[in-house]
Amino acid sequence: MNATLPPNACPPHCRECRLRRTRAFTPVEPGVLDFIEGFRASTLAVPAGGALVHENQANSRMFTLYSGWAFRYKTLSDGRRQILNFLLPGDLVGLQQEFGDLSAHGVEAVTDCALCVFQNDSLWSVFREHPRLGYDITWLAAHEEGHVDDNLLTAGRRNATERLAMLLMHLYRRLERVDLVEADGSVAFPINQQHMADALGLSLVHTNKSLRRLAQLGLHELANGRLRLLNPHALERIAEYYDRPPRLLPLL
Amino acid sequence: MNATLPPNACPPHCRECRLRRTRAFTPVEPGVLDFIEGFRASTLAVPAGGALVHENQANSRMFTLYSGWAFRYKTLSDGRRQILNFLLPGDLVGLQQEFGDLSAHGVEAVTDCALCVFQNDSLWSVFREHPRLGYDITWLAAHEEGHVDDNLLTAGRRNATERLAMLLMHLYRRLERVDLVEADGSVAFPINQQHMADALGLSLVHTNKSLRRLAQLGLHELANGRLRLLNPHALERIAEYYDRPPRLLPLL
DNA sequence: CGAGATCTTGACTAGGGTCAATCAATGTGG
DNA sequence: CCACATTGATTGACCCTAGTCAAGATCTCG
């Protein structure tokens, strides 16, 4: 048993939160920060590959991903899996579960993850006692739906090359916002080609070949779990990726 | 100019709302109903084919679809279009626009539509003054995201036949909930095969052939803008459509 | 009746799926 | 340090689902 915190674990107090120093999130009053910290019931560490939410589990909790990568997914009975979106540090997860009956989706950790878990069944009290936070939560829900919208356009109407270019750009830009790009311009990129295939609605083999093509064109470099974009402009053009003006998001 | 209201127009008062009599929505106190009616700024009729929201328009309004069909969509520059989800009576539309910067999507009327339009820029005041409604709006947002999740699984991982079976079942069940099934078991089904193709990520021709096959198998009948399911059980099996326990939704 | 939509079909093509083998990187136990 | 198992990346061969092109058939509607 080691008393020192691993570097990616949730800090004991929200005011020490690394994410709030990234300029990606709306600043909050100290009082609100205290409320959020009170709303937080616990922290949790989930190892790579572990389930944050089981696909058919009701009543799971709501939480914010503090560090690590995860993804939401749905599967068909014969095993076909669709990744709905990737979850990166700062993302709120599990809002849908709070409302019960909604379509089942699982959440799985790609890497080791640290989470801030919120109190169970207290979402309504948040809205009642702190309408501003309720408003923020709704904003986040709408924002996440926007990501799923994008992914649906990608899976439904882009070809394999465009899909991969989209995925690379999209994730890179999101990582950029939370300061996860290293000085050399590379980012940790822990997903494998099966994840990409499942996110894009492609087969593993075709994902490999299309990704290979992009690499050979000199558009990116992906090795040893690190991604570097060598020609982001070209990737954006291929994917028709439009960077929306970065706007501050709420962080719970 | 005719002073009598067309049959599908929004009634002047929410207490006369047809939708609230359908048992699909959570009952509300009379006082809350008055608040909702006050929040409603106007009603609007949009003709078939008209735009409820332009694809790149910011600051559009939020509204509830009272009658008619519409759909949310995104397009690529060369014209490829993806329908994100269909909007049926009772659906809340445009929440994302309220939050600005979000990914652009258009909303287009399939049939003539009647809408209850809410006051602009007053969403925050709803949360502040009526947290319960804020909570309900969030519920609806999460619910709509659930539909998009389903559609992403469909577009990404189901084959053409499964996609069509899914679409038919999904829309039929939704119409059922708002009492739009006729006594003979048929429903008005105003979308054409291009709409279906764009919703499912298929080409028009392949949509036609796959749909034809389902009809020839005796699973459904679709003609003159009316749909009747002849073998819903088989369609559910093909699509792996799981009817979730119908639960009441909020209605604004 | 003519002009558009929309729906159908057939013929052909191609993007992407399936199968299978190989290779590289890591890890494990002995 | 090595035999062996496991996971992930890569490639080639082949096939099939779904896309494209094109021509009719229906149906509306002014």
Side-chain angles (χ1 to χ4, degrees), chain B residues 154-232:
Chain B
T154 295
R157 289 303 183 201
R158 280 188 242 253
N159 65 30
T161 306
E162 294 166 346
R163 292 184 205 191
L164 279 160
M166 189 68 187
L167 183 72
L168 297 182
M169 285 311 307
H170 176 78
L171 288 172
Y172 189 89
R173 296 291 184 221
R174 284 177 65 194
L175 292 165
E176 209 169 38
R177 297 200 57 190
V178 287
D179 288 352
L180 287 173
V181 179
E182 302 292 323
D184 66 356
S186 75
V187 294
F189 203 78
I191 59 177
N192 62 30
Q193 296 182 356
Q194 185 66 63
H195 290 121
M196 299 188 216
D198 287 347
L200 299 175
L202 295 171
S203 71
L204 174 60
V205 174
H206 198 59
T207 297
N208 177 284
K209 289 175 181 172
S210 304
L211 189 60
R212 213 84 272 296
R213 208 168 307 133
L214 288 180
Q216 274 158 13
L217 288 172
L219 304 188
H220 78 278
E221 212 171 65
L222 178 47
N224 306 317
R226 299 204 68 80
L227 167 70
R228 183 203 306 260
L229 302 185
L230 302 177
N231 192 341

Side-chain angles (χ1 to χ4, degrees), chain A residues 90-146:
Chain A
D91 284 347
L92 180 68
V93 189
L95 178 62
Q96 304 197 350
Q97 266 77 16
E98 285 287 323
F99 292 112
D101 93 323
L102 291 157
S103 67
H105 65 257
V107 181
E108 186 179 311
V110 175
T111 65
D112 292 346
C113 287
L115 319 169
C116 297
V117 185
F118 300 115
Q119 289 167 35
N120 217 349
D121 293 323
S122 59
L123 186 59
W124 162 233
S125 68
V126 172
F127 277 73
R128 182 159 27 83
E129 289 160 32
H130 241 287
R132 182 72 220 182
L133 286 182
Y135 185 77
D136 287 347
I137 287 172
T138 306
W139 184 328
L140 288 172
H143 189 259
E144 183 175 297
E145 180 178 340

